[in-house]
Amino acid sequence: MLPVLVTGGAGYIGSHTCKALARAGFTPIAVDNLVHGHGWAVKWGPLEQGDIGDRAFMDRVFARYRPVAVLHFAAFIAVGESVADPQKYYGNNVAGTLTLLSAMRAAACERIVFSSTAAVYGEPMQVPIAEAHPLAPVNPYGRSKLMIEQMLRDFDHAYGTGSICLRYFNAAGADPDGELGEEHDPETHLIPLAVGAALGKRPPLKIFGDDYDTPDGTALRDYIHVTDLAGAHVLAVKRLLDGECSEAYNLGTGTGNSVREIVDAVHRVSGKEVPYDFAPRREGDAARLVASAEGAKAALGWQPKYTDIETIVKTAWRWHAAR
Ligand code: UFG
């Protein structure tokens, strides 16, 4: 079982990826400071609790496990918070990644899969968005992720550190076996908030904007199942181990669903109404974000399985209803 290091391995996408890695025959070593991650989500390998920005800690982890590759999820992810506190985002996401890369170099670990985001594109000029779309992030979160992508290209050019950047659209759903799910605190994402409202565990949903230029006036997003994201990471690690590197791929289904469609899907899946109110548009939200994922399909042989929004919402519902 080849050891791979998974930063943010106790987080939402990181933990699902650890499960997929274990199933594919790797040993995932989760590195997580547990600021937002959960110890209970680490089930498929050891947990090393610490910070990617702590060089001495990272050196010890590399020396102990000798990983053949790194999957790098650890990051702060809240767009609004990144606007209010950019120092936190550039410090943790950008400076933390530089420390991680330096520790990798010192340990002669030369392959990394990076958790990037659709936010690197900013306000889309057209949808679906392909990788060749201009990169113009509109907030510090997106800029922090783009800076890391640029750093990775420079590291490859200078030191031969092979990297694959995976730009996720809207990660959604939960492990179909019910072993893992989405637990952010605070929660800002649509599906858990809508499900929580239907369960009576959260206040009525606020739908941010009903006056977008979309069929029903609410914003369109490309919701991609977290298990499909996890599968793409396994394929990316294998591609790096085969010697390919320095690429960036979108991960999405290619289908846009509106906020209203999500509310309807929660209703259909659960039989419960989602109480909601309309609220003004949220600052920085684009009307439509839909991926072209043809690159990932061609290069990685990736094919998302949970492409139907009802199936995605059903896995999220099962997880939250059981909590
Ligand atoms: N929304 C609501 N009410 C809510 C929460 C969200 O109406 O209470 C709407 C948003 O306005 C948006 C859609 O639901 O139209 C999805 O919102 P999310 O907050 O779930 O996700 P985002 O599209 O804002 O963000 C996602 C990732 C970010 C990433 C971004 C890329 O979560 O990490 O895509 O642009 F930066």
Side-chain angles (χ1 to χ4, degrees):
M1 303 265 282
L2 288 176
V4 291
L5 203 139
V6 184
T7 77
Y12 173 45
I13 307 173
S15 61
H16 285 79
T17 301
C18 285
K19 177 171 179 173
L21 286 163
R23 282 195 168 170
F26 295 94
T27 301
I29 293 102
V31 169
D32 204 300
N33 59 13
L34 300 185
V35 169
H36 290 298
H38 309 283
W40 55 256
V42 181
K43 308 183 185 189
W44 290 275
L47 168 65
E48 289 288 341
Q49 188 177 346
D51 208 290
I52 57 164
D54 178 344
R55 178 62 194 272
F57 163 72
M58 293 306 298
D59 284 345
R60 284 197 301 277
V61 172
F62 277 103
R64 178 162 183 197
Y65 296 99
R66 305 244 156 249
V68 295
V70 172
L71 292 95
H72 179 31
F73 297 92
F76 292 137
I77 60 161
V79 172
E81 185 188 51
S82 79
V83 177
D85 193 359
Q87 182 183 328
K88 181 171 176 180
Y89 279 69
Y90 292 122
N92 184 64
N93 295 5
V94 181
T97 300
L98 182 58
T99 305
L100 167 67
L101 288 172
S102 308
M104 282 177 66
R105 267 195 82 201
C109 178
E110 293 178 334
R111 301 173 185 100
I112 178 167
V113 181
F114 173 57
S115 176
S116 191
T117 167
V120 296
Y121 297 113
E123 182 69 34
M125 292 159 71
Q126 75 275 325
V127 293
I129 301 170
E131 289 82 0
H133 186 284
L135 301 171
V138 293
N139 52 59
Y141 166 71
R143 281 190 279 275
S144 75
K145 291 284 182 171
L146 181 55
M147 285 175 192
I148 296 166
E149 287 200 11
Q150 290 163 333
M151 220 150 71
L152 289 172
R153 274 195 296 276
D154 291 340
F155 266 63
D156 183 24
H157 179 75
Y159 315 125
T161 309
S163 59
I164 294 181
C165 299
L166 298 176
R167 297 174 182 157
Y168 320 146
F169 281 62
N170 286 60
D175 174 40
D177 307 327
E179 292 185 289
L180 294 165
E182 186 171 12
E183 295 278 347
H184 293 120
D185 185 21
E187 187 52 83
T188 61
H189 295 97
L190 175 63
I191 292 177
L193 292 178
V195 165
L199 285 166
K201 293 181 181 172
R202 291 187 186 272
L205 180 71
K206 285 192 189 315
I207 296 184
F208 297 137
D210 64 349
D211 57 350
Y212 283 106
D213 180 20
T214 58
D216 67 19
T218 65
L220 295 182
R221 292 290 180 275
D222 184 332
Y223 295 91
I224 175 75
H225 196 276
V226 63
T227 299
D228 284 326
L229 290 181
H233 288 78
V234 173
L235 294 169
V237 173
K238 289 182 175 168
R239 186 167 169 84
L240 283 174
L241 293 174
D242 285 344
E244 300 293 335
C245 60
S246 285
E247 300 161 342
Y249 299 112
N250 291 337
L251 297 179
T253 63
T255 304
N257 284 108
S258 72
V259 177
R260 275 182 195 267
E261 285 173 335
I262 298 298
V263 167
D264 291 345
V266 174
H267 182 199
R268 282 198 306 278
V269 161
S270 66
K272 295 188 193 300
E273 294 288 342
V274 178
Y276 68 85
D277 304 306
F278 286 109
R281 293 181 181 192
R282 190 170 62 181
E283 201 186 336
D285 275 356
R288 301 160 191 264
L289 286 176
V290 179
S292 162
E294 297 312 311
K297 289 177 185 167
L300 303 177
W302 179 65
Q303 197 58 51
K305 276 195 284 196
Y306 304 93
T307 51
D308 161 57
I309 196 62
E310 206 164 302
T311 308
I312 293 175
V313 168
K314 196 179 286 173
T315 62
W317 172 265
R318 274 204 230 111
W319 171 255
H320 290 290
R323 300 297 283 170

